[in-house]
Amino acid sequence: MNPTGSSALPTLDEVARVAGVSRATASRAVNGGPKVSESARRAVEEAVRTLGYVPNRAARALVTRRTDSVAVVVPEPDDRVFNDPFFASTLRAVTRVLGEREMQLVLLLARPGAEETRMLRYLSNRHVDGALVVSHHRDDRLAELLPEIGLPCVFGGRPWTGSDRVPYVDVDNVAGGRDATEHLVRRGCRRIGTIAGPADMTAAIDRLTGWHDALLAAGLPSDAVVHGDFTEEGGRRAAEELFARHPHLDGLVVASDLMARSALAVARSRGLRVPDDLAVVGYDDLGVAETTDPPLTTMKNPITEMAARATQLLLDRIDGRETGGPYRLIIPSQLVVRASA
């Protein structure tokens, strides 16, 4: 029962009466509207606490033109999103930051084509306050399209095009690919191949660039390259192709731990001992690397930090605290040495 003696939920009219203000003033104060004096705002806040009033979110949206929700846009098929630890780590970090603001996450899965068109229509209609885009590809064009609709957005990872128009937070994937390869060079490996990620993603190309740079600096050949798709099945196919084409590799850099787990299995099926015959380094360190046989040396991909920083940047832009031009934050990765290399 509320303090007025009624068992019904308190209304905005009761808040206004207890606060000694008009209903319109109470509405603006409760819903964050403008033109409310500090004394009136304090009186309304005290009435809300006394009565246990719960604001109507729909009314708040009408006043503030805010939905208190943020979209996480993932241009990937749902089976990959729900089976890759990258996305689980990303969504946990985003949810934690949004939860501190009592904001809702809306997950949008859309590949280029009709799905992308529907998703852009949804975003254009302002069903959310902003969008965080992760795992984007060369042909999705989201970094070009989102600024056109005027929706605050931030990219997790450098977009393929439009990077001069949108803010993004990324991992230093070039340095990560280079560090992984240099570790194998220091071990004495002289024939180092790589299973790269998809050729239409900047993270994959940057890691491949780092691999190339390290081999060039060491004076070693850099022709043993096969692209996978960051999945276990893609890693298996790529490893079989790579070992068939280059049977004498003594080192292998793999662009994701999921693909590396499959590569270890393929190597074992070919009678290769890891790390004695073949030293292997993966990329991610999101829970897979500790469970492989042998445990996988890998580059730690700071996904949690990247997602949290990107989400906070998006909230700053929604709130008008960050309104400047394109913003770039690059976070370093770190080598984690285990038994595979």
Side-chain angles (χ1 to χ4, degrees):
M1 182 176 292
N2 69 51
T4 66
S6 169
S7 61
L9 292 175
T11 66
L12 187 60
D13 288 324
E14 291 177 69
V15 171
R17 180 178 56 77
V18 171
V21 300
S22 70
R23 189 184 192 283
T25 297
S27 176
R28 288 195 297 272
V30 166
N31 294 309
K35 300 179 181 179
V36 180
S37 69
E38 188 58 32
S39 61
R41 191 179 302 279
R42 285 197 299 268
V44 170
E45 289 174 351
E46 179 60 29
V48 167
R49 284 193 293 271
T50 300
L51 296 170
Y53 174 74
V54 179
N56 184 302
R57 294 182 70 89
R60 174 179 169 83
L62 287 174
V63 173
T64 64
R65 298 187 180 182
R66 294 274 291 270
T67 67
D68 287 339
S69 62
V70 165
V72 175
V73 179
V74 187
E76 298 285 355
D78 56 3
D79 58 340
R80 185 179 169 214
V81 172
F82 297 120
N83 287 291
D84 191 325
F86 171 91
F87 298 104
S89 297
T90 297
L91 293 174
R92 276 196 298 268
V94 174
T95 300
R96 176 178 57 79
V97 176
L98 293 181
E100 295 170 358
R101 288 275 300 271
E102 297 185 353
M103 295 185 73
Q104 182 65 40
L105 181 152
V106 178
L107 181 61
L108 301 179
L109 309 182
R111 296 305 305 269
E115 290 182 1
E116 183 180 85
T117 300
R118 286 194 298 271
M119 180 266 296
L120 287 169
R121 187 182 307 118
Y122 178 88
L123 296 176
S124 298
N125 289 333
R126 289 299 194 276
H127 293 297
V128 293
D129 297 327
L132 174 63
V133 185
V134 299
S135 194
H136 29 86
H137 297 256
R138 174 166 37 193
D139 58 355
D140 60 40
R141 298 180 57 238
L142 290 172
E144 300 170 12
L145 297 173
L146 288 179
E148 292 179 1
I149 65 178
L151 183 74
C153 65
V154 173
F155 280 64
R158 175 173 59 86
W160 193 281
T161 60
S163 60
D164 58 336
R165 302 181 62 189
V166 297
Y168 64 86
V169 180
D170 200 4
V171 177
D172 193 343
N173 287 297
V174 174
R178 183 173 59 246
D179 292 348
T181 309
E182 288 176 347
H183 177 69
L184 295 181
V185 173
R186 289 193 297 270
R187 280 185 56 92
C189 297
R190 291 297 176 264
R191 194 69 177 96
I192 302 172
T194 187
I195 298 175
D200 66 343
M201 299 183 71
T202 56
I205 295 304
D206 287 350
R207 292 171 196 176
L208 181 60
T209 297
W211 174 82
H212 271 292
D213 290 349
L215 292 181
L216 180 64
L220 298 175
S222 59
D223 58 317
V225 181
V226 173
H227 285 272
D229 61 1
F230 285 147
T231 69
E232 287 196 67
E233 178 57 25
R236 182 192 61 77
R237 292 194 302 267
E240 289 175 347
E241 179 182 348
L242 183 65
F243 291 143
R245 287 166 44 189
H246 302 279
H248 302 300
L249 297 179
D250 59 3
L252 180 63
V253 175
V254 188
S256 80
D257 289 349
L258 283 177
M259 294 197 299
R261 180 157 64 186
S262 292
L264 289 172
V266 173
R268 187 162 51 247
S269 71
R270 297 176 68 90
L272 297 174
R273 297 168 301 162
V274 176
D276 298 330
D277 302 320
L278 179 74
V280 180
V281 180
Y283 207 113
D284 280 334
D285 201 36
L286 297 174
V288 172
E290 300 98 323
T291 67
T292 60
D293 182 19
L296 185 65
T297 293
T298 189
M299 297 302 303
K300 185 174 185 62
N301 198 0
I303 294 303
T304 298
E305 180 182 1
M306 183 175 77
R309 299 284 289 272
T311 305
Q312 187 57 59
L313 176 59
L314 178 60
L315 294 178
D316 289 344
R317 294 179 77 84
I318 291 171
D319 292 339
R321 295 194 298 269
E322 171 59 56
T323 58
Y327 174 96
R328 300 168 184 83
L329 174 64
I330 309 300
I331 304 173
S333 56
Q334 180 181 1
L335 181 71
V336 179
V337 178
R338 296 191 180 91
S340 72

